Amino acid sequence: MIFEYEFMRRAFLVGILLAVIVPCIGTVIVLKRLSMVGDALSHTSLAGVALGLIFNFNPVLGAVAACTLAAFAMEGIRKKFPQYSEISIAIIMSAGIGLAGILSGFVQNAQSFNSFLFGSIVAISDFELDLVIIISVIVLLSFVFLYRELFYISFDEQLARLAGVPVRTVNFIFTVLTAITVSVAARTVGALIVSSMMVVPVACAMQVAKSYKKTVLCAIGFALVFTVPGLFISYYVGLKPGGTIVLCGVLILVLILIFKNSSVGKRIPRLRQ
């Protein structure tokens, strides 16, 4: 049985926790039309991983620090180019990839560094498991507490200010939450595919949900549907868990689009609170 092994029980626990929190972050990012933020941060996290391996401290902590700095830098650049917010993503991604490429040359254990590229959810340490649990609780509580504020800034920050939302403070908190979530997810599902876990469940949810709240809940549901079968398939077939989970998600999205095209036509629901 798959659950006879401690590492698989741990993998399922981490996978389920991430399947709950990543779509929460991903929904806001997608609605703000910044879907590639996860890609930029996850690639930048590799620079922090390399620093951790070079100076012999936990690579996940290095990834968290690198992602946090990159997220704030991205937010700052985005404010300088309000009409072209995607520029910030391209700049940070380029800087992160370049820095990671240089630092990776100084890493003696290439195997450890490569494990972060596609993730290693079945090799989670006790410290990383505790970190995922703590971050999951923080993200969920923050998302519930700031639900109304995040709803407003997802669509229009100017209207959010007029509605009395402290946009700068909320953006600061959300930036930190995004950075630490991406860092941990990059360790488990892989830096190269973590953005898919943020976007694909939300894309599926937007095809079936008709409100903001239902989109969040459906995105979490879809992420769980991707993760649990993905872990089973990867275990019994001998595939990489991260890639298997993402491909399950893409397959389900394709099936949803085909079904909608054949039954009710193309229509993206208008979201409401």
Side-chain angles (χ1 to χ4, degrees):
M1 277 291 293
I2 186 173
F3 294 112
E4 291 179 356
Y5 302 100
E6 173 66 23
F7 70 91
M8 287 307 301
R9 292 196 296 269
R10 192 173 299 192
F12 271 90
L13 175 59
V14 170
I16 290 172
L17 288 174
L18 290 177
V20 173
I21 65 171
V22 172
C24 293
I25 300 295
T27 301
V28 177
I29 287 177
V30 169
L31 295 179
K32 291 179 75 172
R33 291 168 174 80
L34 296 172
S35 299
M36 295 303 293
V37 164
D39 249 346
L41 294 181
S42 60
H43 283 77
T44 305
S45 72
L46 293 174
V49 169
L51 284 174
L53 295 173
I54 292 170
F55 294 103
N56 295 317
F57 62 88
N58 194 294
V60 176
L61 294 180
V64 170
C67 278
T68 303
L69 292 174
F72 283 118
M74 195 181 304
E75 189 69 17
I77 296 172
R78 191 170 70 89
K79 290 178 181 178
K80 297 295 183 181
F81 299 92
Q83 302 299 321
Y84 307 97
S85 56
E86 69 276 3
I87 289 179
S88 64
I89 300 175
I91 293 173
I92 295 302
M93 182 181 292
S94 300
I97 293 175
L99 185 59
I102 291 174
L103 292 175
S104 64
F106 297 95
V107 176
Q108 295 182 355
N109 188 353
Q111 182 73 26
S112 298
F113 182 78
N114 291 337
S115 68
F116 280 82
L117 296 177
F118 294 100
S120 185
I121 196 171
V122 296
I124 299 296
S125 67
D126 291 336
F127 170 78
E128 290 163 351
L129 176 62
D130 294 339
L131 188 63
V132 169
I133 294 174
I134 293 171
I135 289 175
S136 298
V137 172
I138 293 174
V139 171
L140 281 176
L141 290 178
S142 300
F143 191 82
V144 172
F145 183 73
L146 297 174
Y147 176 83
R148 173 181 169 274
E149 290 78 3
L150 289 173
F151 171 79
Y152 280 116
I153 69 169
S154 296
F155 293 97
D156 194 320
E157 291 188 0
Q158 188 61 37
L159 288 178
R161 289 189 181 92
L162 295 176
V165 175
V167 173
R168 181 173 296 183
T169 301
V170 174
N171 273 331
F172 174 85
I173 296 173
F174 181 73
T175 298
V176 174
L177 294 177
T178 302
I180 60 178
T181 301
V182 169
S183 302
V184 176
R187 170 69 176 99
T188 55
V189 300
L192 298 182
I193 53 180
V194 65
S195 64
S196 302
M197 282 298 295
M198 303 186 76
V199 175
V200 176
V202 180
C204 292
M206 292 178 70
Q207 295 300 310
V208 299
K210 296 182 180 180
S211 70
Y212 177 76
K213 181 184 294 184
K214 288 181 180 179
T215 299
V216 174
L217 294 176
C218 286
I220 294 173
F222 277 116
L224 290 170
V225 170
F226 306 162
T227 301
V228 175
L231 287 173
F232 274 106
I233 294 171
S234 65
Y235 175 79
Y236 286 110
V237 182
L239 302 175
K240 289 284 187 180
T244 306
I245 291 170
V246 170
L247 286 179
C248 286
V250 173
L251 176 61
I252 291 175
L253 175 59
V254 171
L255 292 175
I256 290 174
L257 293 175
I258 292 174
F259 175 78
K260 290 199 69 175
N261 287 336
S262 63
S263 59
V264 296
K266 298 179 180 179
R267 183 173 64 88
I268 298 178
R270 183 181 178 183
L271 298 182
R272 61 182 183 273
Q273 190 170 14

